[in-house]
Each structure stands twice: as C-alpha cells, then as structure tokens.
C-alpha cells in the first residue's frame, strides 16, 4: 500500500482580484464555448438528476482532458505567482504536485469568496 504524504513543498497565498484574469483565461481555454448548449441538451432530455449529473461530469472531464494541454504555461504561471516558486521549478517538482496545488487553491477556505464571485461570472 502506498502512503499519501500531506507534506507540501510550497505555501500558497490567498487569491486576489488580479488573479481573476489568468483564471478566466484558463477556464476559457479549457472549456469549449458551446458548453452551455451541451448542458441545455442534456437537461432537456428526460433524464434523472443522477443521469444528468453523470453526463455533465463526463462532458467536463472530457473537455478538461482534451484542452488542458492548451493552458500548461498559464497554469504554471498562475501557480508560480500564487506560490512564489518559479514555473520551471513547479514543472520539475515531484509528480502530482501541480494537481495538488490546484486542489489546495480550490479547497482553501480563504479563497471561498473569490470562487463564489467567479461562479457568478460564469
């Protein structure tokens, strides 16, 4: 069994207003423009809430997998700005560090208001 370590080789600052622009740019590149029409098509079909949720999740995962390569530099730049570690160093960190940093930013309670406002913009 592999043990998961909770040690972080970084400290992340709180998101600020100026972080909105690179985050919006990343979101725009990762998710297709017609994602809202995809949601509308899924919802209009007679499906249960569970089926709709599964289909939406699948569409989101597919969009991320398909488009994540287009935002590599932007993600490293944002993580560099938020952590104070160079983008090159982040890219060279142990496998799994980048997704862990992203999850830490998203889960951090001090960023909750940032994401609440962001969700209203989308």
């Amino acid at each position: 069994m592999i043990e998961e370590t909770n040690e972080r080789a970084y400290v992340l600052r709180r998101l600020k207003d100026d972080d909105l622009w690179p985050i919006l740019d990343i979101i725009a590149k990762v998710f297709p423009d017609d994602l809202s029409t995809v949601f509308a098509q899924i919802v209009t079909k007679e499906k249960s809430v569970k089926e709709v949720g599964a289909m939406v999740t699948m569409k989101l995962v597919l969009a991320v997998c398909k488009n994540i390569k287009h935002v590599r530099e932007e993600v490293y730049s944002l993580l560099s700005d938020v952590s104070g570690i160079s983008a090159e160093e982040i890219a060279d960190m142990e496998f799994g560090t980048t997704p862990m940093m992203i999850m830490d930013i998203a889960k951090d309670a001090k960023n909750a208001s940032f994401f609440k406002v962001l969700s209203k913009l989308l």
Side-chain angles (χ1 to χ4, degrees):
M1 177 177 247
I2 299 173
E3 278 188 41
E4 182 181 336
T5 178
N6 288 333
E7 292 183 39
R8 305 291 198 257
Y10 55 85
V11 175
L12 302 171
R13 68 165 170 74
R14 173 185 220 140
L15 293 176
K16 57 186 179 186
D17 277 352
D18 201 39
D19 295 320
L20 176 66
W21 313 116
I23 289 173
L24 286 175
D25 189 39
I26 290 167
I27 290 170
K29 289 180 180 179
V30 170
F31 295 106
D33 292 334
D34 64 342
L35 197 56
S36 60
T37 59
V38 169
F39 290 140
Q41 291 169 357
I42 291 170
V43 173
T44 57
K45 297 177 183 171
E46 293 185 23
K47 303 220 176 283
S48 70
V49 173
K50 187 175 181 178
E51 288 173 314
V52 170
M55 291 177 76
V56 168
T57 301
M58 182 183 72
K59 294 281 187 186
L60 291 174
V61 168
L62 288 173
V64 170
C65 290
K66 179 180 175 185
N67 297 309
I68 196 75
K69 64 186 173 208
H70 301 299
V71 294
R72 179 177 182 221
E73 298 304 319
E74 290 94 335
V75 168
Y76 283 138
S77 177
L78 176 67
L79 293 177
S80 175
D81 188 34
V82 173
S83 69
I85 301 169
S86 75
E88 294 79 18
E89 288 178 87
I90 294 171
D92 199 41
M93 288 181 159
E94 182 179 344
F95 179 75
T97 301
T98 297
M100 189 167 47
M101 291 176 86
I102 293 167
M103 292 304 297
D104 286 347
I105 290 169
K107 288 181 176 178
D108 195 334
K110 65 186 175 191
N111 293 325
S113 62
F114 180 92
F115 288 111
K116 186 180 284 187
V117 171
L118 178 63
S119 70
K120 290 178 183 179
L121 292 174
L122 300 176

